[in-house]
Amino acid sequence: MTLRIGCTADDFTGGTDVAAAFRRSGLRTALVFGVPDDTTVLPVDCDAAVVALKSRSAPADEAVADSLAAQRWLWAKGAAQVYFKYCSTFDSTPRGNIGPVTDALMDAAGASVTLHSPASPPNGRTVYQGHLFVHSQLLSDSPLRHHPLNPMTDSALVRLLSAQTRHRVALIDWATVQRGVEAVREAVVAHQQAGVRHVIADALTDDDLAVLGAAALELPVVAGAAGLAEGLGHAYPAAQPAAAESVPHGGRAAVLAGSCSARTLEQIAKFYAAGLPCLHLDVLAAATGRDVAGEALAWYDEQDPKLPVLVYASASPEELAAVQAQLGVAEAAAQVEELLGTLASHLVERGVRRLLVAGGETSGAVTTALGIRAVLVGEEADPGVPWTYADTKSGGLALMLKSGNFGAPDLFIRALATAVVESE
Ligand code: ADP
């Protein structure tokens, strides 16, 4: 099996997002969690593989080392091109990792020029005259200027990236993009000959990103958000008809929620309101040594096997604050992650074959507990929320890993209602 394109993503949610984008473009796509090694097995017949790292806020040298390790592994699997996926709101601090990681990937590949686009038109991120917009506002006028970790106080991408690299950065403007693939290719070559290493291109629509993707097909390293990845994916002729994934049929369906985000709380409320079985985990009781996981499994065994169940630690802001005040933030999170990881393994052993996990950190805890290193990406239930397919020691598992604020309020019911119908 030979990959056609590889990707390193700078966080887990971004990994899912870009993997879903490659799949939308018609490529069979795998998602790998963390830096892979010789023992990491890819699902068969993939065209694309995304390695999801936690490098966005890591120190630059660590981000570079992990990204290079991922690139070497992707090359070994046959990928001729590597896409570096970063956030569609860029990373505007002068100490950001976008410059250092892109430079390192390019050095290793012997590449002298690359194309960038953080545009993500469906999410309102567009680039015009090199300025990044969030819907109708410049990035620097948007609420992201108050971001607690990376306040975005500049929108000029050439200036932002120049602060992160010693190499030259230049722009291909929208008028050039409008002239099509050849015009963009020629502009990239002209910039390269003038000593520019990083070329940022304007993009207002998905069509613009398709032009950029086609123009970037021969570049060893390409960088940006999920939109350019999709454009690039479309430029690859599909290797095989997009065969349906081997969806596990039968078995039970469950949601494990550890996210306290507003959207997840709404999704839980909808599930509860539909009269489906729900169980709230008592985190404080677990911290005193009570066998909360054992009690939850006993509860699970009594439920109607035809119905999806929801087990959640998710809490309202007040409840969360109370638990954190008593246990400390780190200990509370460790308790929750341990509980949900343990439950995930037992539920899969007991025959759960469709599992929806709510929460970024929670998803990490669950995949680790299940020993899952790589999944095949399937259809999206909502934008950026695909089903994925994994092998576990108990058999095939359909797994949906969702970041806290993703998905429509009825996602849990909709996604798992299908599971119930199909398993009958
Ligand atoms: P999101 O994607 O919404 O950020 P995460 O799973 O990444 O969700 O983060 C939620 C965090 O909240 C996790 O670290 C989890 O352990 C913690 N958490 C969830 N429920 C509780 C609770 N009842 N008390 C304390 N911490 C909790």
Side-chain angles (χ1 to χ4, degrees):
M1 185 211 69
T2 301
L3 285 180
R4 306 161 107 214
I5 182 165
C7 173
T8 73
D10 68 357
D11 77 350
F12 272 43
T13 316
T16 309
D17 193 20
V18 71
F22 279 125
R23 187 185 184 280
R24 275 197 300 275
S25 75
L27 300 178
R28 275 176 68 85
T29 304
L31 176 60
V32 180
F33 305 111
V35 180
D37 59 30
D38 295 347
T39 64
T40 312
V41 179
L42 272 178
V44 286
D45 295 335
C46 294
D47 304 310
V50 175
V51 176
L53 300 172
K54 286 186 175 175
S55 55
R56 184 172 300 167
S57 44
D61 52 350
E62 204 179 304
V64 163
D66 284 355
S67 305
L68 287 174
Q71 185 185 44
R72 281 193 297 275
W73 185 84
L74 290 162
W75 282 342
K77 297 288 175 198
Q81 186 170 44
V82 171
Y83 189 82
F84 170 35
K85 155 70 172 74
Y86 52 71
C87 184
S88 64
T89 50
F90 215 70
D91 181 324
S92 70
T93 67
R95 289 164 286 103
N97 286 340
I98 293 177
V101 170
T102 314
D103 279 332
L105 294 173
M106 291 175 73
D107 286 343
S112 59
V113 71
T114 187
L115 192 67
H116 287 260
S117 177
S120 180
N123 299 318
R125 274 50 154 172
T126 56
V127 181
Y128 186 65
Q129 300 296 357
H131 292 268
L132 181 55
F133 287 81
V134 177
H135 299 286
S136 61
Q137 291 178 307
L138 282 167
L139 175 69
S140 51
D141 291 333
S142 78
L144 289 151
R145 71 186 187 280
H146 299 305
H147 189 279
L149 299 177
N150 290 327
M152 311 290 190
T153 55
D154 192 0
S155 312
L157 291 172
V158 170
R159 196 161 51 212
L160 282 169
L161 187 53
S162 295
Q164 298 182 17
T165 173
R166 59 191 174 79
H167 297 283
R168 285 184 58 196
V169 184
L171 176 71
I172 291 181
D173 67 9
W174 192 65
T176 307
V177 179
Q178 286 311 97
R179 290 185 9 243
V181 178
E182 266 319 301
V184 173
R185 259 194 216 125
E186 283 166 16
V188 170
V189 171
H191 278 310
Q192 180 183 22
Q193 286 169 350
V196 170
R197 201 170 200 243
H198 297 273
V199 180
I200 293 170
D202 280 350
L204 302 182
T205 64
D206 284 337
D207 287 344
D208 294 340
L209 290 165
V211 168
L212 298 181
L217 196 55
E218 303 299 325
L219 301 176
V221 175
V222 183
L228 180 56
E230 187 171 344
L232 198 53
H234 279 299
Y236 280 83
Q240 63 246 324
E245 291 81 14
S246 52
V247 182
H249 284 276
R252 292 178 66 172
V255 186
L256 289 175
S259 162
C260 301
S261 297
R263 179 46 60 88
T264 295
L265 298 178
E266 272 182 88
Q267 288 159 337
I268 292 171
K270 283 260 180 208
F271 194 93
Y272 182 82
L276 292 165
C278 302
L279 181 73
H280 182 233
L281 297 171
D282 187 338
V283 181
L284 287 177
T288 64
R290 211 172 88 194
D291 183 14
V292 173
E295 291 167 17
L297 289 169
W299 171 85
Y300 169 82
D301 289 338
E302 286 166 9
Q303 304 309 309
D304 180 347
K306 287 208 198 69
L307 298 179
V309 302
L310 162 66
V311 181
Y312 64 101
S314 313
S316 64
E318 302 73 38
E319 193 189 338
L320 180 64
V323 174
Q324 288 177 334
Q326 204 155 328
L327 300 179
V329 174
E331 174 57 20
Q335 283 290 344
V336 171
E337 284 159 31
E338 160 84 28
L339 262 176
L340 292 175
T342 305
L343 281 172
S345 340
H346 285 285
L347 290 178
V348 171
E349 269 171 29
R350 279 165 149 83
V352 165
R353 289 295 169 268
R354 293 210 179 196
L355 182 63
L356 198 164
V357 185
E361 291 299 322
T362 307
S363 293
V366 166
T367 48
T368 303
L370 292 174
I372 294 173
R373 311 264 304 270
V375 295
L376 185 66
V377 179
E379 237 172 76
E380 286 167 287
D382 274 331
V385 191
W387 276 109
T388 70
Y389 302 95
D391 286 322
T392 72
K393 57 184 189 321
S394 309
L397 178 69
L399 185 64
M400 184 179 286
L401 304 171
K402 127 185 155 75
S403 155
N405 270 324
F406 276 36
D410 68 346
L411 173 68
F412 294 177
I413 303 172
R414 201 167 10 95
L416 295 182
T418 325
V420 175
V421 172
E422 285 181 14
S423 68
E424 280 172 348

